[in-house]
Amino acid sequence: MNHKAIYKLYPQVVTVDDGAGAFDAQGNKVEIDLTTVNAWQDPEAYKYARASEYPPITDYIDGVVKGDQVQIDKYIADCLAVKAKYPKGVA
């Protein structure tokens, strides 16, 4: 079960157990629509995808320290390519 989707789609849910289901604060079972849960896409997923592909910040800093504009421009271009690959709000 996609716990994050359940918590986002059903704000009354405070506990999710893969075997037992979803429950509210009083321990009542909350009926969930698995089709909706499975279709949910995290609107912030792009952040995680980008983070693993950005070049190391040390590449930029090294370029600044050396006064190497080509290295700085390459770093910026690489970052922009990652942003284009994973646009905001698209999983």
Side-chain angles (χ1 to χ4, degrees):
M1 262 196 265
N2 184 339
H3 292 214
K4 189 171 185 177
I6 293 169
Y7 290 125
K8 292 290 185 177
L9 295 169
Y10 300 91
Q12 71 274 30
V13 170
V14 296
T15 305
V16 178
D17 181 295
D18 287 338
F23 300 89
D24 66 15
Q26 289 75 40
N28 301 313
K29 187 168 184 165
V30 176
E31 294 301 319
I32 59 172
D33 178 359
L34 284 179
T35 302
T36 303
V37 169
N38 291 334
W40 183 81
Q41 293 190 10
D42 186 349
E44 296 187 352
Y46 73 94
K47 292 179 182 180
Y48 312 117
R50 285 181 180 182
S52 66
E53 291 198 30
Y54 277 133
I57 188 68
T58 52
D59 291 355
Y60 178 80
I61 295 169
D62 185 56
V64 170
V65 170
K66 294 188 303 188
D68 185 342
Q69 191 61 47
V70 172
Q71 185 174 345
I72 294 168
D73 292 343
K74 181 183 179 326
Y75 176 85
I76 293 169
D78 290 348
C79 287
L80 291 174
V82 172
K83 288 179 179 288
K85 184 176 179 182
Y86 301 107
K88 284 185 178 180
V90 178

